Amino acid sequence: FNYKIAYEIRLQQAMEENLLCPFHYFGITDLSVVEDVKENHDFSMLTSDERVRHIIQQANYYGYSGERVKGLVFCSRIDETEELSKKFNALGYRTIALNGNSSEEERTKAFERLAMNEEDITDELKPLDYIFSVEILNEGVDIVEVNQIIMLRPTQSPIVFTQQLGRGLRKAEGKEYTVILDFIGNYKNNFMIPIALSGDKTYNADTIKKYVISGNNTIPGASTIHFDEISKQKIFSSIDKIKGMKSIIRESYSTLKNRIGRVPYLIDFYENGEI
């Protein structure tokens, strides 16, 4: 509307207005073998039996709300989704890997299987416990029944993080909350996690650190945020080495310019909560 935004609602405000399902976020240490090696992980480490055991152990420990798990798992690579799905299936789980080359029909059927209840089993349709994916589930997918989200990839941007988190925040009958399990390795962009959760785009190092320490106080409603001690240290170390500030500023500038339709003044950054 000629650069007039009719209406918008951010995650924080939607939580305050009770429009979304509460979530319990747990930042969990990924196995120490999974680190940033020029963003190119050793595949055998990503899909090792040890990592699979670690993921399943945490998923069982933190649980879900409802009669059975209906989970989405976001990975770094397509071959990782396929291999992890195979390993989960071998351990008795019912999972599938869905990626860009899956047909519309395959996707729709997979979403139906994830959402269905045990008593609705037919010869054609059997329930799924998890769908593994790289990015096709970021947006435009509406499976309201999702009650557990597992993140097995580094956070590249707060926007993508919020999109993936949002896949589990639709309200549904019998679902009181969603469990978010974020496996945090030694990634240089870990500082993006508290930025995405808090919605605070000022990129102020002290504010980000405070948020990691007192997450629960800043998220509205019944949701909770918890980082284990090692994850906290990994995020702090990432905050101390925030790199690429130039590109973050450039991106923030472009976003704001597109939003207001002119070259932004300094006051515009302040008023729009940008960097």
Side-chain angles (χ1 to χ4, degrees):
F1 301 99
N2 194 28
Y3 298 104
K4 300 280 185 292
I5 291 173
Y7 188 75
E8 71 173 348
I9 186 161
R10 302 281 174 95
L11 176 65
Q12 300 286 322
Q13 196 190 340
M15 299 303 293
E16 273 167 30
E17 306 277 350
N18 197 23
L19 296 173
L20 298 173
C21 175
F23 66 88
H24 299 303
Y25 169 96
F26 299 96
I28 302 165
T29 313
D30 206 338
L31 289 189
S32 53
V33 292
V34 182
E35 302 185 1
D36 255 348
V37 189
K38 294 186 182 147
E39 297 295 335
N40 187 14
H41 313 301
D42 180 335
F43 183 64
S44 60
M45 289 177 177
L46 283 179
T47 57
S48 67
D49 292 346
E50 194 187 351
R51 190 180 190 221
V52 170
R53 271 198 305 275
H54 180 54
I55 295 163
I56 289 174
Q57 191 183 4
Q58 302 298 328
N60 290 338
Y61 178 75
Y62 289 105
Y64 48 86
S65 167
E67 287 181 16
R68 70 176 191 86
V69 68
K70 299 175 181 181
L72 299 179
V73 186
F74 292 100
C75 303
S76 312
R77 301 163 38 163
I78 289 177
D79 50 3
E80 181 191 359
T81 63
E82 289 163 353
E83 188 60 27
L84 286 177
S85 174
K86 252 185 240 161
K87 290 202 168 178
F88 266 63
N89 292 347
L91 292 168
Y93 287 86
R94 301 164 298 186
T95 78
I96 194 172
L98 270 193
N99 290 297
N101 49 7
S102 312
S103 70
E104 198 56 48
E105 196 182 334
E106 285 174 299
R107 294 181 198 194
T108 309
K109 191 172 176 185
F111 300 155
E112 269 180 54
R113 291 176 62 195
L114 190 72
M116 72 189 286
N117 294 319
E118 294 291 348
E119 61 270 20
D120 302 328
I121 292 179
T122 65
D123 289 342
E124 286 79 49
L125 277 189
K126 292 187 171 49
L128 280 176
D129 299 317
Y130 290 104
I131 293 176
F132 288 82
S133 168
V134 177
E135 65 263 303
I136 65 157
L137 302 176
N138 289 4
E139 51 188 318
V141 171
D142 199 23
I143 316 170
V144 299
E145 294 82 1
V146 168
N147 55 17
Q148 193 186 73
I149 287 182
I150 300 179
M151 298 183 176
L152 298 178
R153 79 293 163 285
T155 295
Q156 300 293 2
S157 91
I159 292 171
V160 171
F161 180 94
T162 311
Q163 283 173 340
Q164 294 182 343
L165 175 81
R167 295 308 94 211
L169 300 188
R170 295 297 298 273
K171 293 184 168 186
E173 213 178 310
K175 178 172 99 170
E176 288 175 39
Y177 55 85
T178 303
V179 169
I180 315 288
L181 304 179
D182 194 359
F183 286 79
I184 299 172
N186 292 331
Y187 304 123
K188 62 177 187 288
N189 280 356
N190 279 340
F191 66 88
M192 299 267 187
I193 299 170
I195 288 169
L197 285 166
S198 65
D200 182 328
K201 292 187 288 182
T202 58
Y203 285 82
N204 177 301
D206 292 337
T207 312
I208 306 174
K209 282 181 181 170
K210 264 188 212 136
Y211 184 77
V212 174
I213 295 165
S214 66
N216 291 358
N217 307 336
T218 35
I219 195 93
S223 298
T224 58
I225 288 170
H226 174 81
F227 295 96
D228 69 24
E229 286 308 313
I230 300 173
S231 294
K232 277 184 192 169
Q233 294 316 315
K234 287 180 173 173
I235 292 174
F236 289 156
S237 126
S238 159
I239 293 168
D240 290 337
K241 297 188 282 227
I242 290 185
K243 285 211 174 63
M245 214 53 200
K246 274 187 187 162
S247 67
I248 292 170
I249 290 171
R250 200 176 294 122
E251 195 180 313
S252 180
Y253 170 84
S254 303
T255 305
L256 195 51
K257 187 180 174 187
N258 291 337
R259 189 185 170 90
I260 59 181
R262 58 173 168 76
V263 170
Y265 300 124
L266 205 51
I267 187 78
D268 293 316
F269 284 87
Y270 175 72
E271 286 175 346
N272 285 276
E274 284 288 339
I275 185 166

